[in-house]
Amino acid sequence: MAPVDPHSYTDGAHPVTKHAALSFYLDFTVSTIHASALLTLSEPHSGDLLLDTRAVSVHSATTAADPPEPIPFSLAASPDPVLGSALTLTLPPDTTSFRLTFSTSPDASALQWLAPPQTASAQPFVFSQCQSIHARSVFPCHDTPAARITFSLLLNVPSQLSAVAAARHVGRRDPLPSDHCGACDEALWCAPGRVVEEFEMEQPVPPYLFAFAAGGIGSRDLGPRTRVYAEGGDKVLDEAAREFAGVEDMVKVGEDLFGPYEWERFDLLVLPPSFPYGGMENPRMVFLTPTVIKGDASGAQVVAHELAHSWTGNLITNKTNEDFWLNEGFTTYAERRIVEVVQGEERAALNMGIGWRGLNQMMERFKDNMEFTKLKPKMAGIDPDDVYSEVPYEKGFQFLWRIERQIGRPAFDEFIKKYIATFKFQSIDTETFLEFLKANVPGIENQIDLHLWVEGTGIPPDAMEPDSAIYKKICSLAAEFKSGKLPSEDEVADWNGQEWELYLENLPTDVEASQVTALDERYKLSESRDYEVKVAFLQLAIPAGCKCYFNEVEKCLKQVGRMKYLRPLYSSLAKCSGEEKMLAQRIFSEAQEFYHPIARGVAESILSKHS
Ligand code: BES
Ligand code: ZN
């Protein structure tokens, strides 16, 4: 056994899946997918083959021959808490393709099933979130980013719903008896009132980029290769179309900076508020939280980030989660380059400032576990969701910015373009990046301590705090708060959400309750429509002991399931004694049904850590 990835049972001595032909029957009444998967290996194989699964019931394994022969299989009896259960198949000699039939669990960690009362369209809704290691809860696979697959996907859904996927949409049609491939009974597959939405992904992607959603979804065209999808009808779609009007231009900016956009379309899906992330870079169709729609085009930063992944992450993919910074650090750098072009240098500098603050806060969070302040941490036995942080984003950004400062922007731009062209459609590790860097920037290892950056803990001394006028002004206003000074109306006149976010996050943590409420009385931050601002404010107010905001905290935790907000709010409440802790427990018990399983797990682990 030669594992290739600490988060997968994939055996490095075996071939991996290169294509999956998937037929999914979505049963909304029991929150279950009944499925068939025809998997094709990169080369013929005999004997044991290991696949990753989590909470999947496997019904049959057969050869692809006609008639099919059964293949012996066994599913590990007790799941590993991080990895799930290995599925071991014993393949007959020279097998390249085999078929599995299986059903997902209603608790599948990637899937959230929403009942009609929980949605804006009053229709059922389901969506997937597979990063980092949740694809295995949707279908048995080699769930490591080291392996890339192409796939075809048939989604059989009730005909009043439509389905989308991170793949090319082939069409919508009546189900055919030849489609079901054993996913469920033919009578069920072809029942009146069902349709099939067909998709094809011809570009090889890591399994964590597999994604789909189904529900009362409508759409609006934005540009020749961009469209926004959302549930909730015309009003939501109009707002979304306004917010994302500039997306086509952004794709062009990305192409100028990083080379051709290789995924044909760049569509956006706005999810229900329980979506656990700000955005997810599913290829051809980015998934977004509805909280990015604020009516002031500020969603652009999140879109720039997910778009940037089209090059860094989706074209070049981290080989394992230990190399996650290659995805997120590069993307944070690329995002800020796009933002600089479309929104200006000052906005980019503000984003860097917010990131710098976040990176410094992570040093505090991980002070007893400095491994996770490394760019390349050891992850064996660790659930990536438990240690998700700004470190790979912001330390990764800092590392690349440091290289840019060393060699100058024109040379660095050329380096990035060459890096992308060299490794596109490959999964690489940090060592491969470093070799490429040293080969293309001779002598760089004598100018930058690469080893310290990659293997060291903490923030290297040659990292740099951004140096822009607006950033410094906001930091100095925040420093004056301690001595009782609130920013004046004039000073904040042209602030939008990000300026407030930076200000609030730079305030000292041990402030008086009276000062916090004075700030709120003047600027109404606790009621901000911008969740970044609202949460930054509440995170200040909770430890200061301002009980008057319990109501806002509760509303926030019950309305939005984005983990960026759940984590700090539940943590601040749980760290307090008495009333706040009980409030956190009560809110969680009432809100957990509304959360995506990943978010529910994270909130649960925060509460149990502080219980
Ligand atoms: N790929 C991430 C989201 C992710 C990371 C999902 C790890 C699962 C595991 C995505 O690109 C991301 O970074 N989203 C950010 C956007 C922000 C940095 C603009 C988010 O959700 O906050
Ligand atoms: Zn990202």
Side-chain angles (χ1 to χ4, degrees), residues 373-416:
T373 67
K374 289 183 184 170
L375 217 41
K376 181 160 177 144
K378 299 251 179 315
M379 296 280 280
I382 305 287
D383 185 336
D385 293 335
D386 287 344
V387 293
Y388 177 82
S389 85
E390 275 114 309
V391 172
Y393 291 76
E394 299 298 342
K395 192 170 175 179
F397 165 79
Q398 284 285 341
F399 182 33
L400 298 171
W401 197 32
R402 172 72 186 85
I403 301 169
E404 185 204 302
R405 287 199 302 277
Q406 185 66 41
I407 68 176
R409 187 169 267 195
F412 193 60
D413 282 359
E414 211 173 294
F415 170 79
I416 290 203

Side-chain angles (χ1 to χ4, degrees), residues 51-72:
L51 292 171
D52 296 300
T53 76
R54 178 182 290 127
V56 167
S57 311
V58 179
H59 309 311
S60 72
T62 52
T63 63
D66 189 17
E69 298 285 333
I71 292 174

Side-chain angles (χ1 to χ4, degrees), residues 132 167 204 295 334 349 373 446 538 542 584:
S132 296
T373 67
N446 306 322
L538 294 174
I542 295 167

Side-chain angles (χ1 to χ4, degrees), residues 129 131-132 277-281 301-302 305-306 309 324 328 335 385 388 393 562 564:
Q129 165 57 46
Q131 198 180 17
S132 296
Y277 289 95
M280 176 65 212
E281 66 270 26
Q301 186 218 339
V302 179
H305 180 93
E306 304 315 334
H309 272 303
F324 187 51
E328 297 301 344
E335 164 209 322
D385 293 335
Y388 177 82
Y393 291 76
R562 182 175 176 186
K564 186 177 180 190

